[in-house]
Amino acid sequence: MVKELMHDPIFLAGKSEFATKEDLQVAQDLMDTLMAHKDSCVGMAANMIGVRKRIIAILDESGRAPTYTVMLNPEIIKKDGAYNTEEGCLSLLGGPRPCKRYKSIKVKYQTLELQNRIKTYTGWTAQIIQHEIDHCDGVLI
């Protein structure tokens, strides 16, 4: 179900809790909401729809064709190639803000089937994932 976007910076600054199989409906709601905003958004974290769980949904351009992916409990375990950039966010008012990102990241996460995965991402997809994991950690750009 498409959910309303959260704009409260105090709520968004709170850290998210570990996601479990009981949170799979939240993951579906997050994906539904991302798809409803796909013309202006490439990623969302669960706190953006008012749920403090470590769940992100992203546009993954790392394969042959772009796909939408949900990650439960994502964690960056390696990063390389720091650079400065600017990003915007549907949850935050105002224009793009400066932030530090990494060209390559290795991410440990769980699939919707609760299977553990480790994958390296680069470029635009890596930047999206970093932004959404920041949301899970209560970091606002």
Side-chain angles (χ1 to χ4, degrees), residues 66-121:
T67 59
Y68 286 89
T69 301
V70 173
M71 296 179 176
L72 305 178
N73 305 306
E75 175 187 355
I76 297 171
I77 56 175
K78 185 178 180 184
K79 48 192 173 186
D80 188 46
Y83 66 97
N84 293 314
T85 188
E86 289 189 346
E87 295 174 355
C89 182
L90 286 181
S91 290
L92 302 175
L93 301 175
R97 297 172 184 172
C99 59
K100 181 179 181 179
R101 295 291 180 227
Y102 294 86
K103 293 177 185 174
S104 175
I105 59 171
K106 185 180 281 190
V107 182
K108 177 179 165 184
Y109 66 95
Q110 291 176 302
T111 66
L112 289 173
E113 294 77 30
L114 301 176
Q115 296 175 333
N116 294 318
R117 296 281 188 268
I118 295 176
K119 186 172 177 181
T120 298
Y121 294 90

Short mmCIF file of all heavy atoms in Angstrom, two decimals, residues 66-121:
data_model
loop_
_atom_site.label_atom_id
_atom_site.label_comp_id
_atom_site.label_asym_id
_atom_site.label_seq_id
_atom_site.Cartn_x
_atom_site.Cartn_y
_atom_site.Cartn_z
N PRO A 66 17.94 -2.09 -15.33
CA PRO A 66 17.60 -1.56 -14.01
C PRO A 66 16.46 -2.36 -13.37
O PRO A 66 15.50 -2.74 -14.05
CB PRO A 66 17.15 -0.12 -14.31
CG PRO A 66 17.72 0.20 -15.65
CD PRO A 66 17.78 -1.10 -16.39
N THR A 67 16.59 -2.61 -12.08
CA THR A 67 15.56 -3.32 -11.32
C THR A 67 15.37 -2.61 -9.98
O THR A 67 16.26 -1.90 -9.52
CB THR A 67 15.93 -4.78 -11.05
OG1 THR A 67 17.17 -4.82 -10.32
CG2 THR A 67 16.07 -5.58 -12.32
N TYR A 68 14.24 -2.85 -9.37
CA TYR A 68 14.00 -2.33 -8.03
C TYR A 68 14.28 -3.44 -7.03
O TYR A 68 13.88 -4.59 -7.24
CB TYR A 68 12.57 -1.80 -7.90
CG TYR A 68 12.39 -0.49 -8.63
CD1 TYR A 68 12.01 -0.47 -9.97
CD2 TYR A 68 12.64 0.72 -7.99
CE1 TYR A 68 11.88 0.73 -10.65
CE2 TYR A 68 12.52 1.92 -8.67
CZ TYR A 68 12.13 1.92 -9.99
OH TYR A 68 12.01 3.12 -10.67
N THR A 69 15.00 -3.10 -5.97
CA THR A 69 15.46 -4.07 -4.99
C THR A 69 15.13 -3.61 -3.59
O THR A 69 15.26 -2.42 -3.28
CB THR A 69 17.00 -4.25 -5.11
OG1 THR A 69 17.31 -4.68 -6.44
CG2 THR A 69 17.52 -5.26 -4.11
N VAL A 70 14.73 -4.55 -2.74
CA VAL A 70 14.53 -4.27 -1.33
C VAL A 70 15.64 -4.96 -0.54
O VAL A 70 15.97 -6.12 -0.81
CB VAL A 70 13.15 -4.78 -0.84
CG1 VAL A 70 13.03 -4.64 0.67
CG2 VAL A 70 12.04 -4.03 -1.53
N MET A 71 16.22 -4.24 0.41
CA MET A 71 17.24 -4.79 1.28
C MET A 71 16.78 -4.67 2.73
O MET A 71 16.37 -3.58 3.16
CB MET A 71 18.57 -4.04 1.13
CG MET A 71 19.21 -4.15 -0.21
SD MET A 71 20.74 -3.18 -0.24
CE MET A 71 21.34 -3.56 -1.87
N LEU A 72 16.86 -5.76 3.46
CA LEU A 72 16.58 -5.75 4.89
C LEU A 72 17.91 -5.68 5.62
O LEU A 72 18.86 -6.39 5.25
CB LEU A 72 15.82 -7.01 5.30
CG LEU A 72 14.52 -7.31 4.56
CD1 LEU A 72 13.93 -8.62 5.06
CD2 LEU A 72 13.52 -6.20 4.73
N ASN A 73 17.99 -4.85 6.62
CA ASN A 73 19.16 -4.72 7.49
C ASN A 73 20.47 -4.48 6.72
O ASN A 73 21.48 -5.12 7.00
CB ASN A 73 19.26 -5.96 8.38
CG ASN A 73 17.99 -6.17 9.16
OD1 ASN A 73 17.52 -5.27 9.84
ND2 ASN A 73 17.40 -7.35 9.03
N PRO A 74 20.46 -3.55 5.76
CA PRO A 74 21.68 -3.29 5.00
C PRO A 74 22.77 -2.66 5.87
O PRO A 74 22.47 -1.85 6.76
CB PRO A 74 21.22 -2.32 3.92
CG PRO A 74 20.09 -1.58 4.55
CD PRO A 74 19.38 -2.61 5.40
N GLU A 75 24.00 -3.07 5.61
CA GLU A 75 25.14 -2.55 6.36
C GLU A 75 26.33 -2.46 5.40
O GLU A 75 26.65 -3.44 4.70
CB GLU A 75 25.46 -3.51 7.50
CG GLU A 75 26.69 -3.17 8.28
CD GLU A 75 27.04 -4.26 9.31
OE1 GLU A 75 26.26 -5.22 9.47
OE2 GLU A 75 28.11 -4.14 9.90
N ILE A 76 26.96 -1.30 5.35
CA ILE A 76 28.15 -1.13 4.52
C ILE A 76 29.33 -1.71 5.29
O ILE A 76 29.62 -1.28 6.41
CB ILE A 76 28.39 0.35 4.16
CG1 ILE A 76 27.22 0.88 3.33
CG2 ILE A 76 29.72 0.52 3.41
CD1 ILE A 76 27.24 2.38 3.09
N ILE A 77 30.00 -2.70 4.69
CA ILE A 77 31.13 -3.35 5.37
C ILE A 77 32.48 -2.96 4.77
O ILE A 77 33.52 -3.25 5.34
CB ILE A 77 30.97 -4.89 5.41
CG1 ILE A 77 30.80 -5.47 4.02
CG2 ILE A 77 29.78 -5.26 6.29
CD1 ILE A 77 30.76 -7.00 3.98
N LYS A 78 32.45 -2.28 3.62
CA LYS A 78 33.69 -1.77 3.02
C LYS A 78 33.32 -0.62 2.10
O LYS A 78 32.29 -0.67 1.43
CB LYS A 78 34.38 -2.89 2.23
CG LYS A 78 35.72 -2.49 1.68
CD LYS A 78 36.39 -3.67 0.95
CE LYS A 78 37.73 -3.23 0.39
NZ LYS A 78 38.35 -4.32 -0.39
N LYS A 79 34.17 0.41 2.07
CA LYS A 79 33.93 1.54 1.18
C LYS A 79 35.26 2.06 0.65
O LYS A 79 36.28 1.98 1.34
CB LYS A 79 33.13 2.64 1.88
CG LYS A 79 33.61 3.04 3.24
CD LYS A 79 32.58 3.90 3.95
CE LYS A 79 33.00 4.16 5.38
NZ LYS A 79 31.99 4.87 6.13
N ASP A 80 35.22 2.59 -0.57
CA ASP A 80 36.45 3.03 -1.21
C ASP A 80 36.15 4.17 -2.18
O ASP A 80 35.10 4.17 -2.84
CB ASP A 80 37.09 1.86 -1.96
CG ASP A 80 38.47 2.18 -2.48
OD1 ASP A 80 39.28 2.76 -1.73
OD2 ASP A 80 38.73 1.87 -3.66
N GLY A 81 37.07 5.11 -2.27
CA GLY A 81 36.96 6.18 -3.25
C GLY A 81 36.05 7.32 -2.83
O GLY A 81 35.07 7.61 -3.52
N ALA A 82 36.37 7.98 -1.75
CA ALA A 82 35.54 9.08 -1.23
C ALA A 82 35.46 10.23 -2.24
O ALA A 82 36.42 10.52 -2.96
CB ALA A 82 36.11 9.59 0.08
N TYR A 83 34.29 10.84 -2.30
CA TYR A 83 34.09 12.04 -3.12
C TYR A 83 32.97 12.88 -2.51
O TYR A 83 32.16 12.39 -1.73
CB TYR A 83 33.77 11.69 -4.58
CG TYR A 83 32.45 10.99 -4.81
CD1 TYR A 83 31.31 11.69 -5.19
CD2 TYR A 83 32.34 9.61 -4.64
CE1 TYR A 83 30.10 11.04 -5.41
CE2 TYR A 83 31.14 8.95 -4.86
CZ TYR A 83 30.02 9.67 -5.24
OH TYR A 83 28.83 9.02 -5.45
N ASN A 84 32.95 14.16 -2.86
CA ASN A 84 31.90 15.07 -2.38
C ASN A 84 30.89 15.28 -3.49
O ASN A 84 31.24 15.37 -4.67
CB ASN A 84 32.51 16.40 -1.95
CG ASN A 84 33.38 16.25 -0.72
OD1 ASN A 84 32.99 15.59 0.24
ND2 ASN A 84 34.57 16.83 -0.75
N THR A 85 29.61 15.35 -3.10
CA THR A 85 28.54 15.55 -4.07
C THR A 85 27.40 16.29 -3.39
O THR A 85 27.54 16.73 -2.24
CB THR A 85 28.06 14.18 -4.64
OG1 THR A 85 27.16 14.43 -5.71
CG2 THR A 85 27.41 13.32 -3.57
N GLU A 86 26.29 16.44 -4.09
CA GLU A 86 25.07 17.03 -3.53
C GLU A 86 23.91 16.09 -3.80
O GLU A 86 23.86 15.47 -4.87
CB GLU A 86 24.79 18.40 -4.15
CG GLU A 86 25.74 19.48 -3.72
CD GLU A 86 25.29 20.86 -4.18
OE1 GLU A 86 24.40 20.96 -5.05
OE2 GLU A 86 25.84 21.84 -3.66
N GLU A 87 23.00 16.00 -2.83
CA GLU A 87 21.83 15.15 -2.98
C GLU A 87 20.59 15.85 -2.46
O GLU A 87 20.65 16.66 -1.54
CB GLU A 87 22.00 13.85 -2.18
CG GLU A 87 23.11 12.97 -2.69
CD GLU A 87 23.37 11.76 -1.81
OE1 GLU A 87 22.74 11.62 -0.74
OE2 GLU A 87 24.21 10.94 -2.22
N GLY A 88 19.47 15.48 -3.05
CA GLY A 88 18.17 15.93 -2.57
C GLY A 88 17.45 14.75 -1.94
O GLY A 88 17.90 13.61 -2.01
N CYS A 89 16.31 15.03 -1.30
CA CYS A 89 15.54 13.97 -0.63
C CYS A 89 14.07 14.39 -0.56
O CYS A 89 13.78 15.54 -0.21
CB CYS A 89 16.10 13.75 0.77
SG CYS A 89 15.29 12.42 1.67
N LEU A 90 13.19 13.46 -0.86
CA LEU A 90 11.76 13.76 -0.79
C LEU A 90 11.30 14.08 0.62
O LEU A 90 10.30 14.77 0.81
CB LEU A 90 10.94 12.57 -1.31
CG LEU A 90 10.91 12.32 -2.80
CD1 LEU A 90 10.02 11.13 -3.12
CD2 LEU A 90 10.41 13.54 -3.56
N SER A 91 12.02 13.58 1.62
CA SER A 91 11.62 13.81 3.01
C SER A 91 12.04 15.17 3.54
O SER A 91 11.52 15.62 4.55
CB SER A 91 12.22 12.74 3.93
OG SER A 91 11.61 11.50 3.69
N LEU A 92 13.00 15.79 2.89
CA LEU A 92 13.55 17.05 3.40
C LEU A 92 13.19 18.21 2.49
O LEU A 92 13.32 18.10 1.26
CB LEU A 92 15.07 16.94 3.53
CG LEU A 92 15.56 15.81 4.43
CD1 LEU A 92 17.08 15.73 4.37
CD2 LEU A 92 15.09 16.01 5.86
N LEU A 93 12.76 19.29 3.09
CA LEU A 93 12.42 20.48 2.33
C LEU A 93 13.69 21.20 1.90
O LEU A 93 14.73 21.09 2.54
CB LEU A 93 11.54 21.40 3.17
CG LEU A 93 10.22 20.77 3.66
CD1 LEU A 93 9.50 21.73 4.57
CD2 LEU A 93 9.35 20.38 2.48
N GLY A 94 13.61 21.94 0.84
CA GLY A 94 14.77 22.67 0.34
C GLY A 94 15.45 21.89 -0.78
O GLY A 94 15.05 20.78 -1.12
N GLY A 95 16.49 22.48 -1.30
CA GLY A 95 17.18 21.87 -2.43
C GLY A 95 18.25 20.89 -2.03
O GLY A 95 18.35 20.49 -0.86
N PRO A 96 19.07 20.50 -2.99
CA PRO A 96 20.16 19.56 -2.73
C PRO A 96 21.12 20.08 -1.66
O PRO A 96 21.32 21.29 -1.52
CB PRO A 96 20.87 19.45 -4.08
CG PRO A 96 19.86 19.88 -5.08
CD PRO A 96 19.00 20.89 -4.39
N ARG A 97 21.71 19.13 -0.93
CA ARG A 97 22.65 19.47 0.15
C ARG A 97 23.95 18.70 -0.06
O ARG A 97 23.94 17.59 -0.57
CB ARG A 97 22.03 19.09 1.48
CG ARG A 97 20.77 19.87 1.76
CD ARG A 97 20.03 19.38 2.96
NE ARG A 97 18.80 20.16 3.06
CZ ARG A 97 17.85 19.89 3.91
NH1 ARG A 97 17.97 18.90 4.75
NH2 ARG A 97 16.76 20.63 3.94
N PRO A 98 25.07 19.29 0.38
CA PRO A 98 26.36 18.62 0.19
C PRO A 98 26.50 17.39 1.10
O PRO A 98 25.96 17.37 2.22
CB PRO A 98 27.38 19.70 0.57
CG PRO A 98 26.65 20.68 1.41
CD PRO A 98 25.21 20.61 1.00
N CYS A 99 27.19 16.38 0.60
CA CYS A 99 27.46 15.18 1.39
C CYS A 99 28.69 14.46 0.84
O CYS A 99 29.12 14.72 -0.27
CB CYS A 99 26.25 14.25 1.41
SG CYS A 99 25.73 13.70 -0.21
N LYS A 100 29.23 13.54 1.63
CA LYS A 100 30.38 12.73 1.23
C LYS A 100 29.89 11.33 0.91
O LYS A 100 29.11 10.74 1.67
CB LYS A 100 31.40 12.68 2.38
CG LYS A 100 32.64 11.88 2.09
CD LYS A 100 33.57 11.93 3.29
CE LYS A 100 34.85 11.17 3.07
NZ LYS A 100 35.73 11.26 4.25
N ARG A 101 30.32 10.79 -0.21
CA ARG A 101 29.95 9.45 -0.63
C ARG A 101 31.20 8.68 -1.07
O ARG A 101 32.28 9.26 -1.17
CB ARG A 101 28.93 9.50 -1.79
CG ARG A 101 27.61 10.11 -1.39
CD ARG A 101 26.85 9.21 -0.44
NE ARG A 101 25.58 9.79 -0.05
CZ ARG A 101 25.14 9.84 1.19
NH1 ARG A 101 25.87 9.35 2.18
NH2 ARG A 101 23.98 10.37 1.48
N TYR A 102 31.01 7.40 -1.37
CA TYR A 102 32.11 6.54 -1.81
C TYR A 102 31.74 5.91 -3.15
O TYR A 102 30.59 5.51 -3.36
CB TYR A 102 32.39 5.46 -0.76
CG TYR A 102 32.93 6.07 0.51
CD1 TYR A 102 32.05 6.54 1.48
CD2 TYR A 102 34.29 6.23 0.70
CE1 TYR A 102 32.54 7.14 2.63
CE2 TYR A 102 34.78 6.83 1.84
CZ TYR A 102 33.90 7.29 2.80
OH TYR A 102 34.39 7.89 3.94
N LYS A 103 32.73 5.81 -4.06
CA LYS A 103 32.49 5.28 -5.40
C LYS A 103 32.14 3.80 -5.38
O LYS A 103 31.39 3.33 -6.22
CB LYS A 103 33.72 5.50 -6.27
CG LYS A 103 33.99 6.96 -6.57
CD LYS A 103 35.27 7.12 -7.38
CE LYS A 103 35.58 8.60 -7.55
NZ LYS A 103 36.86 8.82 -8.22
N SER A 104 32.70 3.07 -4.42
CA SER A 104 32.48 1.62 -4.34
C SER A 104 32.17 1.24 -2.89
O SER A 104 32.86 1.69 -1.97
CB SER A 104 33.73 0.88 -4.82
OG SER A 104 33.59 -0.51 -4.63
N ILE A 105 31.13 0.44 -2.71
CA ILE A 105 30.78 -0.04 -1.37
C ILE A 105 30.46 -1.53 -1.43
O ILE A 105 29.95 -2.04 -2.42
CB ILE A 105 29.57 0.72 -0.76
CG1 ILE A 105 28.32 0.59 -1.66
CG2 ILE A 105 29.92 2.17 -0.50
CD1 ILE A 105 27.04 1.12 -1.04
N LYS A 106 30.78 -2.22 -0.35
CA LYS A 106 30.38 -3.62 -0.20
C LYS A 106 29.30 -3.64 0.87
O LYS A 106 29.49 -3.10 1.96
CB LYS A 106 31.56 -4.49 0.22
CG LYS A 106 31.22 -5.98 0.26
CD LYS A 106 32.41 -6.83 0.68
CE LYS A 106 33.33 -7.02 -0.49
NZ LYS A 106 34.37 -8.04 -0.20
N VAL A 107 28.14 -4.23 0.52
CA VAL A 107 26.98 -4.19 1.40
C VAL A 107 26.58 -5.60 1.82
O VAL A 107 26.48 -6.50 0.98
CB VAL A 107 25.77 -3.50 0.70
CG1 VAL A 107 24.58 -3.42 1.63
CG2 VAL A 107 26.15 -2.13 0.20
N LYS A 108 26.34 -5.76 3.11
CA LYS A 108 25.80 -7.00 3.66
C LYS A 108 24.33 -6.71 3.96
O LYS A 108 24.00 -5.70 4.58
CB LYS A 108 26.55 -7.34 4.95
CG LYS A 108 26.07 -8.55 5.67
CD LYS A 108 26.93 -8.75 6.92
CE LYS A 108 26.30 -9.70 7.87
NZ LYS A 108 27.08 -9.84 9.11
N TYR A 109 23.42 -7.59 3.50
CA TYR A 109 21.99 -7.36 3.70
C TYR A 109 21.25 -8.68 3.62
O TYR A 109 21.84 -9.73 3.35
CB TYR A 109 21.45 -6.37 2.65
CG TYR A 109 21.47 -6.88 1.23
CD1 TYR A 109 20.35 -7.48 0.65
CD2 TYR A 109 22.62 -6.79 0.45
CE1 TYR A 109 20.38 -7.95 -0.65
CE2 TYR A 109 22.66 -7.25 -0.85
CZ TYR A 109 21.54 -7.84 -1.40
OH TYR A 109 21.57 -8.31 -2.69
N GLN A 110 19.93 -8.62 3.85
CA GLN A 110 19.07 -9.77 3.71
C GLN A 110 18.05 -9.51 2.61
O GLN A 110 17.57 -8.38 2.46
CB GLN A 110 18.33 -10.07 5.02
CG GLN A 110 19.24 -10.56 6.12
CD GLN A 110 18.47 -10.76 7.41
OE1 GLN A 110 17.85 -9.82 7.91
NE2 GLN A 110 18.50 -11.97 7.94
N THR A 111 17.70 -10.57 1.89
CA THR A 111 16.67 -10.48 0.86
C THR A 111 15.30 -10.57 1.53
O THR A 111 15.19 -10.81 2.74
CB THR A 111 16.80 -11.65 -0.13
OG1 THR A 111 16.53 -12.87 0.57
CG2 THR A 111 18.19 -11.68 -0.77
N LEU A 112 14.25 -10.44 0.73
CA LEU A 112 12.89 -10.59 1.26
C LEU A 112 12.63 -12.02 1.75
O LEU A 112 11.71 -12.25 2.54
CB LEU A 112 11.86 -10.21 0.19
CG LEU A 112 11.79 -8.73 -0.14
CD1 LEU A 112 10.88 -8.48 -1.33
CD2 LEU A 112 11.33 -7.93 1.07
N GLU A 113 13.45 -12.95 1.31
CA GLU A 113 13.34 -14.34 1.78
C GLU A 113 14.23 -14.57 3.01
O GLU A 113 14.44 -15.69 3.44
CB GLU A 113 13.75 -15.31 0.67
CG GLU A 113 12.81 -15.30 -0.53
CD GLU A 113 13.03 -14.10 -1.45
OE1 GLU A 113 14.16 -13.58 -1.54
OE2 GLU A 113 12.04 -13.66 -2.07
N LEU A 114 14.80 -13.47 3.55
CA LEU A 114 15.68 -13.47 4.73
C LEU A 114 16.97 -14.24 4.48
O LEU A 114 17.58 -14.77 5.40
CB LEU A 114 14.95 -13.99 5.97
CG LEU A 114 13.70 -13.20 6.36
CD1 LEU A 114 13.00 -13.84 7.54
CD2 LEU A 114 14.03 -11.75 6.65
N GLN A 115 17.41 -14.27 3.23
CA GLN A 115 18.69 -14.87 2.89
C GLN A 115 19.77 -13.80 2.96
O GLN A 115 19.56 -12.67 2.50
CB GLN A 115 18.65 -15.49 1.49
CG GLN A 115 17.69 -16.64 1.38
CD GLN A 115 17.58 -17.16 -0.04
OE1 GLN A 115 17.81 -16.44 -1.01
NE2 GLN A 115 17.23 -18.43 -0.16
N ASN A 116 20.93 -14.14 3.53
CA ASN A 116 22.04 -13.20 3.65
C ASN A 116 22.77 -13.06 2.32
O ASN A 116 23.00 -14.05 1.63
CB ASN A 116 23.01 -13.66 4.73
CG ASN A 116 22.39 -13.62 6.10
OD1 ASN A 116 21.69 -12.68 6.45
ND2 ASN A 116 22.64 -14.64 6.90
N ARG A 117 23.11 -11.83 2.00
CA ARG A 117 23.85 -11.54 0.77
C ARG A 117 24.95 -10.53 1.08
O ARG A 117 24.80 -9.69 1.97
CB ARG A 117 22.93 -10.92 -0.29
CG ARG A 117 21.83 -11.82 -0.79
CD ARG A 117 22.36 -12.81 -1.80
NE ARG A 117 21.31 -13.56 -2.43
CZ ARG A 117 20.84 -14.72 -2.01
NH1 ARG A 117 21.33 -15.27 -0.92
NH2 ARG A 117 19.87 -15.35 -2.65
N ILE A 118 26.01 -10.60 0.29
CA ILE A 118 27.06 -9.58 0.30
C ILE A 118 27.33 -9.25 -1.15
O ILE A 118 27.56 -10.14 -1.97
CB ILE A 118 28.35 -10.09 0.99
CG1 ILE A 118 28.09 -10.35 2.48
CG2 ILE A 118 29.47 -9.06 0.82
CD1 ILE A 118 29.27 -10.93 3.22
N LYS A 119 27.25 -7.96 -1.48
CA LYS A 119 27.43 -7.54 -2.87
C LYS A 119 28.14 -6.20 -2.92
O LYS A 119 27.93 -5.35 -2.06
CB LYS A 119 26.06 -7.45 -3.56
CG LYS A 119 26.15 -7.16 -5.05
CD LYS A 119 24.80 -7.27 -5.73
CE LYS A 119 24.94 -6.89 -7.20
NZ LYS A 119 23.66 -6.96 -7.90
N THR A 120 28.97 -6.03 -3.94
CA THR A 120 29.66 -4.76 -4.15
C THR A 120 28.89 -3.94 -5.17
O THR A 120 28.46 -4.47 -6.20
CB THR A 120 31.10 -5.01 -4.64
OG1 THR A 120 31.80 -5.73 -3.62
CG2 THR A 120 31.83 -3.71 -4.91
N TYR A 121 28.71 -2.68 -4.86
CA TYR A 121 28.01 -1.74 -5.75
C TYR A 121 28.94 -0.58 -6.05
O TYR A 121 29.74 -0.17 -5.20
CB TYR A 121 26.74 -1.20 -5.09
CG TYR A 121 25.68 -2.26 -4.87
CD1 TYR A 121 25.64 -2.99 -3.69
CD2 TYR A 121 24.73 -2.52 -5.85
CE1 TYR A 121 24.67 -3.97 -3.49
CE2 TYR A 121 23.76 -3.50 -5.66
CZ TYR A 121 23.74 -4.21 -4.47
OH TYR A 121 22.78 -5.18 -4.28
#
